[in-house]
């Protein structure tokens, strides 16, 4: 396809038309200028290709496909190779099914554990979400399938999801919510981005020039197509002006009509429309020229991949006394409906019509396992007969394994949760079983953190998340030690909902949600507030043990333009093979902006045989030390000491080493009437000015002197002196307004 030629031959009507879809899942095709149509499908952890009736909520059936672990599980692998493999396999399926654009990954930050779509999202941490997102995108792209990274941006709840306004300050937006997209755009260069339903600070994400052009294209260098979430656009003309390219779903010619009218009446320059058309044509041209003709979708092979990947994602939360792994000949009672019918995926647009799901009960065939249903998912009432049967089964076994978690209606796209609680009947079942069987293991099937009122009563908890079609097989392999757990939490498990950062401001009021916790989301919040958590970010156990030693920095001082190399040694001190996720956090010892105690800036998953040790090397550049500085609308480092922390979780730091980083960024300062003596004195040129003013100024008296402000402690007087604004000084000096303005002008000229 020759995009330039086609564009030059298109009529205004054709151009306007191609900026919205043909129907639910296709772009428009035109025979005359030679534009084929392409297919777009969900994503993000399995193929949802609808051939019959279409919808964006996963209601109607799609073709049989493979459900891979959901985003929450993929991120818990802390393994870019796992994320890449999901992308690669899904990409190959898309090629076989003639799907050009895969709607994912979904990378929104988990601001509150209540967000109904957290199961699809990756993490509370932007670094981790960014890196896992990059790997998923690259995996899809390895098959020449186009990812559509979603939902851009600040789309962190489902309440009023199509109209809500996320009110976020600039620093928080860039440090947390945009930086995930920034990393993916810069490192993986995806060819499309999906704009979110919500507004940010009053402006709809699909019609927001700052978001779609100034930041995405001009700042980050994105050169692909922006696609609306399904039904997100309010005003397509405003969208095109802002940098929106494709409105989905289509089938409605009112968008095109509005665009044509706006071009004709001169309110929309045709050159703006051409930009959008070019981006859509480029997307189509890429897809068409990279279509693999002989691709096959091997469902059995992909199921195997899904089951293997699920083993890498599970997190062993607790394992007192080494209860796990179970001996193969142990008499185990599998209890709970999820052992028979696992909850392995969430509801909504990501819902896959699974070709094959293996339940734990079936995967355990051949082992010494009995089964009791324990509860009925469809009701929240305790079924006494089932409870009794479960307690008997637990008593008669060596070990009870409870398969519990959240049923579909507890977490789903389209609705937020109201509590972190599991169904009462399940909590009651756990308590009843644990009361008669001290060897009780809880296996969780959920997409986001749950409260665990029974945690002290059970020795072992295995978090499977929503592990995809291979959920049961992976669970059994992990329980019996054929696989060794190696996942770590990509989000904090709080003790209770009231402890969470957005507790007072989620989901907002009257459609407006204020992100008042600022950058303090997830562990950034719990660490700063010194709040105890159930399980911290980065936590996860193994059947073996690891020690950390010998942290080395290649320099102790550096400019922020340099790269720091950090090396540490990790040893497997147990007696079996295992993988450890080594995490590197950076801590700014002292800073003017209010910063988190520590922030994740690197990680590596290391495979070690029993007794083996390996050096792990990390490279840290400027961004590892930077915060977002609103005065320059960019990231900056504040000169000073930082501590490099290396550990097994955000609350299990094993090694520390200091480094001094010098900033190379000059932050321009503009003085005003409100600038204080302290501000001025802190600036080199301001100091010269202060010196030149000495004598002329009757500054507030220094220590011990009596004056208009009365006497005070030296600390108080010093504070009053440094916080005195220029306007205050002027009044002490008896200056007029004009003279004050002259002083401000002089100060700024000095600079
Ligand atoms: C969801 C998107 C999805 C789209 C198409 C929307 O409701 O928010 O994530 O890709 O539907 O199904």
């Amino acid at each position: 396809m020759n995009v330039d030629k086609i564009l030059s031959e298109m009529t205004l009507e054709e151009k306007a038309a191609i900026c919205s879809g043909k129907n639910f899942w296709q772009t428009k095709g035109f025979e005359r200028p030679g534009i084929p149509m392409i297919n777009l499908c969900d994503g993000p952890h399995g193929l949802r290709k609808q051939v019959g009736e279409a919808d964006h909520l996963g209601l109607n059936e799609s073709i049989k496909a493979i459900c891979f672990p959901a985003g929450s599980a993929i991120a818990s692998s802390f393994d870019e190779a796992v994320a890449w493999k999901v992308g690669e396999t899904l990409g190959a399926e898309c090629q076989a099914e003639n799907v050009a654009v895969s709607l994912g990954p979904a990378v929104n930050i988990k601001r509150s554990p209540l967000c109904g779509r957290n199961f699809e999202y990756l993490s509370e941490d932007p670094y981790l979400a960014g890196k896992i997102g990059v790997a998923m995108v690259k995996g899809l792209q390895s098959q020449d399938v186009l990812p559509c990274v979603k939902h851009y941006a600040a789309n962190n709840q489902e309440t009023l999801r199509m109209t809500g306004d996320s009110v976020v300050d600039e620093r928080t937006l860039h440090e947390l919510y945009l930086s995930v997209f920034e990393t993916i755009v810069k490192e993986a260069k995806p060819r499309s981005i999906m704009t979110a339903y919500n507004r940010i600070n009053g402006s709809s994400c699909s019609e927001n020039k700052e978001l779609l052009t100034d930041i995405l294209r001009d700042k980050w260098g994105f050169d692909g197509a922006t696609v609306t979430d399904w039904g997100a656009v309010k005003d397509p003309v405003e969208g095109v002006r802002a940098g929106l390219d494709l409105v989905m779903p289509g089938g409605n010619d009112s968008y095109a009509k509005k665009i044509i009218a706006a071009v004709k009446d001169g309110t929309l320059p045709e050159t703006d429309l051409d930009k959008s058309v070019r981006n859509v044509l480029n997307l189509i041209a890429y897809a068409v020229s990279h279509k693999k003709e002989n691709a096959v979708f091997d469902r059995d092979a992909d199921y195997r991949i899904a089951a293997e990947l699920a083993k890498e994602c599970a997190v062993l939360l607790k394992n007192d006394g080494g209860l796990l792994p179970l001996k193969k000949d142990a008499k185990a009672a599998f209890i709970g409906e999820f052992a028979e019918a696992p909850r392995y995926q969430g509801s909504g647009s990501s819902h896959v019509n699974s070709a094959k799901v293996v339940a734990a009960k079936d995967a355990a065939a051949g082992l010494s396992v009995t089964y009791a249903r324990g509860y009925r998912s469809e009701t929240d009432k305790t079924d006494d007969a089932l409870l009794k049967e479960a307690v008997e089964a637990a008593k008669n076994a060596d070990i009870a394994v409870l398969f519990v978690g959240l049923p579909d209606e507890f977490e789903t796209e389209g609705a937020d949760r109201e509590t972190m609680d599991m169904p009462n009947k399940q909590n009651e079942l756990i308590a009843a079983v644990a009361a008669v069987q001290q060897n009780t293991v809880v296996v969780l099937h959920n997409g986001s953190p749950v409260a665990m009122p029974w945690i002290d009563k059970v020795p072992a908890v295995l978090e499977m998340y929503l592990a995809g079609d291979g959920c049961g097989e992976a669970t059994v392999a992990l329980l019996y030690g054929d696989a060794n757990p190696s996942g770590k939490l990509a989000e904090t498990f709080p003790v209770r909902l009231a402890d969470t950062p957005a507790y007072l401001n989620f989901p907002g009021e009257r459609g407006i949600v204020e992100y008042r916790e600022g950058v303090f989301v997830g562990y950034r919040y719990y660490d700063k507030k010194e709040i105890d958590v159930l399980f911290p970010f980065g936590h996860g156990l193994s059947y073996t043990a690891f020690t950390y030693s010998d942290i080395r920095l290649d320099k102790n001082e550096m400019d922020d333009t340099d790269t720091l190399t950090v090396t540490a040694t990790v040893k497997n001190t147990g007696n079996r093979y295992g993988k450890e996720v080594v995490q590197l956090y950076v801590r700014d010892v002292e800073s003017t902006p209010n910063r988190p105690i520590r922030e994740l800036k690197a990680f590596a998953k290391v495979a070690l045989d029993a007794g083996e040790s390996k050096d792990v090397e990390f490279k840290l550049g400027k961004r590892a030390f930077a915060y977002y500085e609103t005065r320059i609308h960019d990231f900056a480092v504040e000169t000073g000491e930082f501590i490099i922390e290396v550990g097994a979780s955000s609350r299990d730091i094993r090694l520390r080493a200091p480094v001094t980083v010098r900033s190379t960024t000059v932050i321009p300062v503009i003085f005003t009437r409100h600038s204080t003596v302290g501000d001025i004195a802190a600036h080199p040129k301001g100091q010269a000015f202060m010196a030149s003013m000495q004598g002329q100024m009757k500054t507030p008296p220094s220590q011990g002197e009596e004056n208009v402000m009365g006497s005070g402690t030296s600390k108080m007087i010093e504070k009053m002196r440094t916080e005195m604004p220029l306007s205050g000084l002027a009044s002490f000096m008896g200056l007029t307004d004009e003279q004050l303005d002259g002083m401000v002008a002089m100060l700024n000229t000095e600079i």
Side-chain angles (χ1 to χ4, degrees):
M1 253 176 86
N2 182 338
V3 168
D4 285 333
K5 184 164 178 292
I6 290 175
L7 183 59
S8 70
E9 289 169 359
M10 284 173 88
T11 62
L12 172 60
E13 287 67 25
E14 286 165 344
K15 288 193 224 174
I18 201 138
C19 290
S20 55
K22 174 181 175 199
N23 52 33
F24 229 84
W25 301 121
Q26 292 175 323
T27 58
K28 288 185 186 121
F30 294 97
E31 236 171 72
R32 191 198 49 80
I35 306 169
M37 62 92 195
I38 58 169
N39 294 313
L40 306 86
C41 281
D42 287 307
H45 49 258
L47 179 58
R48 186 171 75 97
K49 184 180 179 189
Q50 291 183 314
V51 280
E53 212 177 320
D55 71 90
H56 67 303
L57 294 171
L59 303 174
N60 296 307
E61 242 184 31
S62 46
I63 61 162
K64 290 275 182 206
I66 304 303
C67 178
F68 296 92
S72 46
I74 296 170
S76 306
S77 73
F78 267 73
D79 191 341
E80 286 149 283
V82 165
W84 191 89
K85 192 73 192 168
V86 173
E88 184 207 33
T89 317
L90 179 56
E93 293 176 1
C94 289
Q95 280 287 0
E97 289 294 331
N98 193 22
V99 172
V101 179
S102 177
L103 305 177
V107 301
N108 297 92
I109 290 290
K110 300 183 189 202
R111 175 176 173 250
S112 162
L114 297 184
C115 171
R117 256 184 125 165
N118 275 358
F119 70 88
E120 270 185 83
Y121 298 152
L122 302 173
S123 179
E124 68 188 23
D125 180 83
Y127 180 83
L128 177 61
K131 290 293 174 184
I132 296 292
V134 165
M136 288 178 83
V137 164
K138 285 190 174 170
L140 280 165
Q141 288 174 166
S142 73
Q143 298 307 303
D144 288 324
V145 166
L146 302 163
C148 188
V149 185
K150 64 192 187 182
H151 310 89
Y152 184 63
N155 181 226
N156 312 99
Q157 65 185 50
E158 291 296 284
T159 305
L160 289 174
R161 71 176 190 148
M162 294 190 79
T163 52
D165 188 8
S166 303
V167 177
V168 201
D169 68 84
E170 183 184 346
R171 178 180 159 207
T172 301
L173 193 59
H174 283 268
E175 261 181 48
L176 294 187
Y177 299 100
L178 294 185
S179 82
V180 186
F181 290 93
E182 178 185 2
T183 304
I184 296 173
V185 166
K186 286 182 174 169
E187 293 184 21
K189 306 210 172 310
R191 285 172 188 270
S192 69
I193 296 272
M194 186 189 290
T195 63
Y197 283 130
N198 53 288
R199 292 172 288 157
I200 297 182
N201 300 326
S203 169
S204 157
C205 291
S206 303
E207 289 126 47
N208 185 323
K209 177 168 173 294
E210 192 187 357
L211 212 56
L212 301 186
T213 298
D214 304 351
I215 295 174
L216 184 62
R217 293 184 194 279
D218 299 348
K219 231 176 176 176
W220 301 343
F222 176 73
D223 62 0
T226 50
V227 180
T228 64
D229 198 343
W230 269 230
V233 86
K234 278 102 195 158
D235 178 348
V237 175
E238 204 50 56
V240 171
R241 271 193 209 111
L244 177 67
D245 302 320
L246 179 63
V247 172
M248 289 301 289
N252 174 350
D253 64 2
S254 73
Y255 302 134
K257 281 185 179 152
K258 283 183 185 158
I259 291 172
I260 294 166
V263 172
K264 284 192 174 155
D265 71 18
T267 51
L268 177 68
E270 193 159 349
T271 46
D272 280 9
L273 177 60
D274 285 353
K275 279 190 205 159
S276 296
V277 175
R278 181 182 293 282
N279 291 332
V280 176
L281 290 177
N282 280 338
L283 197 73
I284 297 171
Y286 185 93
V288 170
S289 62
H290 289 80
K291 169 89 191 77
K292 294 192 193 333
E293 288 311 330
N294 300 318
V296 278
F297 183 173
D298 180 342
R299 288 169 175 77
D300 289 332
D302 290 1
Y303 167 82
R304 287 261 31 95
I305 292 172
E308 289 310 312
L309 294 179
K311 297 176 191 167
E312 302 291 325
C313 301
V315 186
L316 181 60
L317 293 176
K318 185 174 178 183
N319 193 20
D320 286 358
L323 179 59
L324 293 176
L326 305 179
K327 295 208 175 55
K328 292 261 166 72
D329 57 1
K331 255 177 78 189
F334 278 15
I335 298 170
E337 198 183 276
F338 289 166
E340 194 180 18
R343 177 151 184 270
Y344 62 94
Q345 67 169 326
S347 309
S349 59
S350 66
H351 195 271
V352 174
N353 181 5
S354 291
K356 169 182 177 180
V357 185
V358 176
K361 180 173 162 265
D362 300 325
L367 294 164
S368 177
V369 169
T370 57
Y371 171 67
R373 185 169 174 184
Y375 60 87
R376 290 180 202 282
S377 248
E378 68 277 6
T379 144
D380 199 23
K381 289 213 186 77
T382 296
D383 182 319
D384 291 336
L386 289 184
L387 182 68
K388 197 160 164 247
E389 183 197 18
V391 168
E392 283 310 307
K395 270 193 210 158
N396 295 330
D398 301 330
I399 287 142
V401 186
L402 284 153
F403 291 77
V404 291
L406 296 172
D408 264 343
E409 58 274 22
F410 273 60
E411 55 176 358
T412 173
E413 176 175 343
D416 292 319
R417 290 192 292 164
E418 283 171 13
T419 75
M420 283 183 7
D421 297 338
M422 284 169 31
N424 287 334
K425 64 189 171 200
Q426 292 196 19
N427 285 333
E428 277 168 24
L429 174 69
I430 298 169
V433 166
V436 298
Q437 176 53 267
Q438 59 177 10
N439 295 329
T440 292
V441 181
V442 171
V443 179
L444 289 169
H445 301 64
N446 48 317
S448 40
V450 290
M452 302 185 198
W454 34 260
I455 190 66
D456 295 332
K457 306 267 177 4
V458 301
V461 182
L462 179 64
E463 173 60 82
M464 289 304 297
Y465 276 106
L466 302 181
D469 289 349
C471 171
E473 252 193 86
T475 306
V476 170
L478 289 158
L479 286 174
Y480 287 88
D482 291 332
N484 189 352
S486 61
K488 300 266 187 173
L489 289 180
E491 62 193 320
T492 309
F493 272 48
V495 175
R496 45 185 206 139
L497 184 62
D499 290 342
T500 60
Y503 179 64
L504 297 176
N505 297 289
F506 184 97
E509 287 164 21
R510 293 190 298 276
I512 297 175
V513 52
E514 297 186 28
Y515 287 38
R516 290 199 201 155
E517 68 288 345
V519 297
F520 298 100
V521 166
Y523 67 91
R524 287 165 168 77
Y525 176 79
Y526 302 109
D527 285 356
K528 194 82 174 182
K529 297 264 292 183
E530 300 179 356
I531 293 174
D532 282 342
V533 298
L534 193 53
F535 296 107
F537 175 86
H539 168 77
L541 305 171
S542 163
Y543 296 152
T544 186
F546 303 96
T547 57
Y548 288 60
S549 64
D550 209 9
I551 185 167
R552 283 146 282 161
L553 271 49
D554 72 337
K555 49 182 91 61
N556 301 107
E557 281 186 29
M558 60 186 271
D559 286 343
D560 63 9
T561 44
D562 295 340
T563 300
L564 177 70
T565 304
V566 179
T567 314
T569 307
V570 186
K571 182 171 185 190
N572 180 346
T573 55
N575 55 13
R576 56 177 292 161
Y577 167 85
K579 291 181 186 169
E580 171 70 332
V581 176
V582 181
Q583 299 157 49
L584 185 152
Y585 297 85
V586 173
R587 174 178 191 145
D588 193 347
V589 175
E590 214 178 286
S591 65
T592 316
N594 191 5
R595 296 193 68 179
I597 302 288
R598 59 179 57 82
E599 294 176 68
L600 183 77
K601 295 298 170 186
F603 62 88
K605 196 162 190 174
V606 193
L608 293 165
D609 281 325
E612 193 186 5
S613 61
K614 276 186 189 160
D615 277 354
V616 191
E617 191 181 277
F618 301 105
K619 302 267 184 210
L620 301 181
K622 174 177 172 182
R623 265 309 261 278
F625 304 96
Y627 68 99
Y628 186 87
E629 171 54 68
T630 50
R631 286 175 294 177
I632 53 168
H633 308 293
D634 203 353
F635 284 84
V637 174
E638 194 176 51
T639 297
E641 192 182 59
F642 293 81
I643 307 289
I644 307 301
E645 302 182 330
V646 175
S649 91
S650 61
R651 291 214 172 160
D652 185 6
I653 302 298
R654 309 278 183 90
L655 306 169
R656 291 181 173 82
V659 60
T660 298
V661 185
R662 285 177 300 266
S663 175
T664 55
T665 308
V666 178
I667 298 174
V669 178
I670 296 177
F671 292 109
T672 68
R673 288 166 161 232
H674 308 299
S675 301
T676 62
V677 168
D679 290 341
I680 298 167
H683 199 277
K685 297 242 172 110
Q687 284 157 10
F689 170 82
M690 292 296 283
S692 76
M693 293 299 288
Q694 278 303 324
Q696 292 184 54
M697 293 188 200
K698 276 193 257 136
T699 54
S702 56
Q703 198 172 341
E705 284 176 51
E706 193 70 35
N707 73 76
V708 282
M709 291 182 274
S711 64
T713 63
S714 56
K715 194 174 167 196
M716 179 267 266
I717 290 173
E718 177 55 16
K719 201 161 160 46
M720 288 184 121
R721 193 185 73 81
T722 55
E723 291 185 2
M724 172 68 63
L726 272 182
S727 55
L729 268 188
S731 84
F732 282 115
M733 294 166 71
L735 300 182
T736 62
D737 261 12
E738 289 70 34
Q739 285 170 315
L740 173 59
D741 287 342
M743 204 159 138
V744 171
M746 187 159 103
L747 198 47
N748 282 323
T749 326
E750 285 287 328
I751 290 156

